[in-house]
């Protein structure tokens, strides 16, 4: 028997360091996270603050960033770490993505030297948590329409508005908040103990339950000018961070798919129906073969994009192609695996429906599948079709 990674000789494409990082994160995921993840999902609770220092010790927070206590690994190494985390649960990978690729990347890319020194080392260590507030109740796919405003008052800024669906929002120490100013969209670092800042955890989610999601409210939040990210001008700034986080999803979603497929092959080999194992039926094998091919193709594309990124830059539409492919393939695999598990597939005893439910969020955040189709459509035709 072979795994999908063996079938596609994935190891032969990886360096020693890449394999080492992958194995280290996989071991941490299996030993530290997997035994608890179904309970976290069921309870709709995630011990973000407790886990952050452990993730920090492994160098997983802001791991692709250079300096300020960050690990400075390659894009491909970062992708492989995301894949292993998401093989446990998309919620764990989301927490790491938001901390590293969104909040820390915003500070690293657009912050002043003083802001970087103040926040990044402690965030890399997992002692401080960040969140990234872009989406609003009425503006998700079209963040350029945001209503949150920052107005000048003497040398200060005063922020008013609200943000929704913000991962890590109610446990963060600092919120990166994007707001409209007279000069256009700007980013602000809001310490979450600032008067007027509020965060309320959102409940009753059926997806990403092992992840903290919050609504943020900004009611006359007064900040000095040095809380503004000096290099962030316009919508391109938050979009630049999103492209980093999306790249992690290109790999990450495939981790969830791999976990579904592995659990399903094991189940099909032992579950007997009509007097023989489910795995011995052609219909089951056809499903497994098709899923293996989709997963393998996704892994090859992810690695290819990683290599392009490491060689000097990947274009946003290339990341869109990867995100679209990985999330669509992963959710299709998770749903197909669920059919093979029958009724057992709907329980938390198996990871499959948990992954499938999580992948609904992964398909939606960091640009929905449709938005990535539009990005690719524009790249292919030269015509924008967003409006
Ligand atoms: P909408 O924009 O209302 O879209 C609804 C539907 O319309 C979708 O199918 C969409 O593809 C489609 N659509 C939109 N525009 C077009 C168009 N032009 N043409 C055709 N179809 C279109 N945001 C943050 O800022 N920070 C976070 O940390 C964060 N974490 C999240 C965590 C979770 C669990 C979830 C679910 C979301 C999170 N988000 C976060 C928000 C996420 O980025 C948005 O949900 C996403 O951008 C989509 O926005 P929306 O939900 O408002 O959907």
């Amino acid at each position: 028997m072979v795994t999908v990674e063996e079938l596609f000789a994935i190891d032969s494409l990886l360096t020693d360091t890449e394999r080492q990082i992958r194995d280290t994160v996989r071991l941490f995921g299996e030993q530290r996270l997997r035994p608890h993840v179904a309970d976290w999902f069921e309870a709709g609770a995630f011990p973000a603050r407790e886990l952050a220092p452990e993730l920090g010790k492994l160098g997983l927070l802001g791991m692709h960033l250079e300096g300020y206590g960050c690990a400075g690994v390659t894009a491909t190494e970062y992708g492989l770490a995301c894949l292993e985390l998401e093989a446990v649960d998309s919620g764990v990978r989301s927490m790491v993505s938001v901390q590293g690729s969104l909040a820390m990347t915003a500070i690293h890319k657009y912050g002043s030297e003083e802001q970087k020194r103040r926040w990044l080392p402690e965030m890399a260590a997992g002692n401080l948590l960040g969140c990234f507030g872009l989406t609003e109740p009425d503006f998700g796919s079209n963040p350029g329409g945001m209503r949150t405003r920052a107005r000048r008052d003497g040398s200060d800024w005063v922020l008013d508005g609200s943000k929704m669906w913000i991962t890590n929002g109610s446990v963060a120490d600092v919120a990166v908040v994007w707001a409209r100013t007279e000069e256009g969209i700007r980013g602000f670092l809001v310490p979450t103990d600032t008067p007027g800042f509020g965060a309320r955890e959102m409940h009753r989610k059926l997806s990403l339950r092992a992840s903290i999601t919050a609504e943020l409210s900004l009611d006359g939040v007064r900040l000095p000018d040095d809380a503004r990210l000096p290099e962030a001008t316009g919508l391109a700034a938050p979009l630049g961070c999103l492209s980093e986080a999306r790249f992690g999803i290109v790999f990450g979603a495939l981790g969830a798919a791999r976990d579904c497929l592995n659990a399903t092959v094991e189940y099909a080999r032992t579950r007997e129906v009509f007097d023989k194992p489910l795995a011995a039926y052609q219909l089951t094998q056809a499903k497994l073969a098709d899923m293996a091919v989709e997963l393998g193709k996704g892994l090859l594309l992810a690695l290819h994009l990683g290599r392009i990124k490491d060689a000097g830059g990947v274009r946003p539409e290339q990341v869109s192609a990867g995100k679209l492919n990985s999330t669509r393939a992963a959710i299709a695999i998770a749903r197909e695996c669920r059919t093979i598990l029958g009724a057992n597939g709907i329980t938390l005893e198996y990871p499959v429906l948990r992954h499938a439910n999580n992948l609904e969020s992964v398909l939606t955040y960091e640009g929905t599948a449709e938005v990535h189709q539009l990005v690719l459509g524009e790249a292919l035709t030269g015509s924008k079709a967003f409006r």
Side-chain angles (χ1 to χ4, degrees):
M1 288 190 324
V2 292
T3 63
V4 172
E5 279 122 324
E6 287 163 351
L7 187 66
F8 285 81
I10 297 296
D11 265 28
S12 71
L13 302 173
L14 304 181
T15 65
D16 287 348
T17 314
E18 286 165 354
R19 281 195 290 268
Q20 208 180 334
I21 288 177
R22 177 198 64 188
D23 293 346
T24 305
V25 181
R26 189 179 291 185
L27 191 67
F28 176 78
E30 291 307 315
Q31 292 185 341
R32 175 67 179 99
L33 305 172
R34 192 177 293 277
H36 309 288
V37 75
D39 291 339
W40 294 334
F41 187 96
E42 188 166 30
F46 182 65
R49 292 212 76 98
E50 187 187 320
L51 288 174
E54 298 178 46
L55 294 162
K57 208 177 247 175
L58 282 176
L60 296 176
L61 302 177
M63 73 185 292
H64 62 298
L65 302 174
E66 290 285 345
Y68 307 97
C70 303
V73 304
T74 67
T76 308
E77 288 161 358
Y78 169 60
L80 290 166
C82 287
L83 189 152
E84 295 304 329
L85 291 173
E86 196 149 356
V88 180
D89 194 88
S90 304
V92 183
R93 199 268 310 137
S94 298
M95 184 249 173
V96 168
S97 290
V98 167
Q99 175 84 347
S101 290
L102 294 179
M104 292 175 72
T105 294
I107 299 170
H108 197 271
K109 252 184 172 172
Y110 310 118
S112 65
E113 192 53 38
E114 194 193 324
Q115 288 168 338
K116 291 180 201 180
R117 289 214 190 118
R118 174 173 175 196
W119 295 108
L120 291 178
E122 290 296 298
M123 290 173 85
N127 298 329
L128 294 179
L129 285 179
C131 68
F132 186 87
L134 179 65
T135 304
E136 299 188 357
D138 293 326
F139 298 95
S141 300
N142 176 22
M146 69 175 65
R147 293 206 183 104
T148 297
R149 291 198 169 266
R151 64 178 164 81
R152 278 281 196 183
D153 186 24
S155 60
D156 290 347
W157 291 91
V158 179
L159 271 63
D160 287 287
S162 62
K163 299 286 174 182
M164 201 167 175
W165 301 110
I166 307 305
T167 304
N168 298 349
S170 53
V171 288
D173 301 283
V174 59
V176 176
V177 172
W178 300 94
R180 178 179 300 291
T181 71
E182 280 187 354
E183 296 101 56
I185 289 168
R186 295 290 182 272
F188 295 86
L189 298 180
V190 185
T192 53
D193 57 3
T194 310
F197 178 91
R200 194 164 59 92
E201 191 173 349
M202 297 171 68
H203 294 288
R204 308 190 81 194
K205 290 180 297 173
L206 297 174
S207 172
L208 276 198
R209 290 181 55 75
S211 172
I212 294 163
T213 316
E215 274 178 76
L216 308 184
S217 57
L218 300 126
D219 187 6
V221 171
R222 182 173 288 275
L223 298 169
D225 189 45
D226 65 11
R228 185 177 52 86
L229 291 168
E231 307 301 328
T233 49
L235 192 60
L239 296 187
C241 303
L242 289 173
S243 196
E244 289 296 327
R246 254 170 225 151
F247 174 80
I249 295 175
V250 176
F251 282 79
L254 300 174
R258 182 191 74 194
D259 195 49
C260 290
L261 194 52
N262 286 349
T264 302
V265 169
E266 199 183 315
Y267 182 87
R269 292 181 61 242
T270 51
R271 170 76 176 174
E272 294 212 348
V273 293
F274 296 97
D275 307 324
K276 66 175 185 180
L278 198 46
Y281 289 92
Q282 289 182 351
L283 282 177
T284 311
Q285 292 194 1
K287 288 180 183 180
L288 295 174
D290 287 351
M291 290 191 282
V293 169
E294 285 310 310
L295 178 55
K297 288 192 296 191
L299 290 171
L300 293 175
L301 176 59
L303 279 174
H304 178 59
L305 292 176
R307 300 290 176 231
I308 297 176
K309 191 161 160 60
D310 284 326
V314 63
R315 290 198 303 276
E317 63 269 25
Q318 293 174 319
V319 180
S320 284
K323 201 246 172 187
L324 183 62
N325 182 66
S326 291
T327 50
R328 279 208 300 218
I331 203 165
I333 288 171
R335 288 170 179 160
E336 188 81 302
C337 284
R338 216 290 306 152
T339 68
I340 295 176
L341 267 67
N344 280 322
I346 73 154
T347 70
L348 276 171
E349 298 307 311
Y350 296 88
V352 172
L353 192 60
R354 173 169 56 79
H355 282 307
N357 280 7
N358 285 339
L359 287 164
E360 294 289 347
S361 291
V362 182
L363 194 68
T364 293
Y365 65 26
E366 310 285 349
T368 65
E370 293 80 4
V371 163
H372 291 300
Q373 286 177 313
L374 292 171
V375 169
L376 289 166
E378 182 186 351
L380 292 168
T381 65
S383 288
K384 264 189 205 294
F386 288 87
R387 309 180 170 272

